[in-house]
Amino acid sequence: MPNTTAQLPSTPRPAETRLCEGLDALAERARCGAWTPTPLERRIARLLTVAAAGDGLLTAERVRTALWEGAVALVQENGGELAALLADVLPVLTGHVYGADGVRHTDGLLDDVYRFVAATATGHAR
């Protein structure tokens, strides 16, 4: 099997880098009060939080369902920043890159995204 960067868990993939940067930027804007979730964004975040209540995991299917529920309005709402963040999580969720130990290595990135979504659901994304 060729040794590619996709097989090296310590090397972030471009999708993970984009997601991490997007999450950091949006979380910072939320902390500064420059971004506040709208009612639609809170509703979409609540849908994701409820869908993941049993296991606390975002899955590609759950994120796609939330994006579909928001449809065009979510992209237009509040500059589309939450929609963009959710869209950026899909390539990470569907990349299926595992380390030699059989574990996905995203350095807690998906957990951070989930916590941000859960905070957004309550209107306290900071």
Side-chain angles (χ1 to χ4, degrees):
M1 184 180 297
N3 192 9
T4 67
T5 57
Q7 295 170 329
L8 301 174
S10 61
T11 304
R13 296 177 304 144
E16 291 169 343
T17 301
R18 184 174 57 248
L19 176 59
C20 186
E21 290 170 354
L23 175 61
D24 289 347
L26 188 54
E28 179 61 27
R29 288 177 42 75
R31 275 190 291 279
C32 295
W35 181 83
T36 305
T38 64
L40 175 62
E41 289 169 323
R42 285 194 309 270
R43 180 175 181 277
I44 297 302
R46 263 192 310 275
L47 289 172
L48 270 171
T49 305
V50 168
D55 55 19
L57 298 175
L58 296 177
T59 64
E61 181 179 340
R62 291 170 181 166
V63 172
R64 283 187 187 106
T65 300
L67 285 168
W68 180 256
E69 181 72 25
V72 175
L74 184 61
V75 175
Q76 296 172 344
E77 192 89 1
N78 213 5
E81 291 180 279
L82 182 62
L85 180 69
L86 294 177
D88 284 345
V89 81
L90 282 172
V92 174
L93 291 170
T94 58
H96 305 296
V97 175
Y98 295 85
D101 55 4
V103 176
R104 279 193 84 174
H105 294 273
T106 57
D107 298 324
L109 177 59
L110 294 175
D111 294 333
D112 292 343
V113 172
Y114 177 76
R115 282 190 290 277
F116 184 82
V117 167
T120 297
T122 63
H124 296 93
R126 296 200 198 285

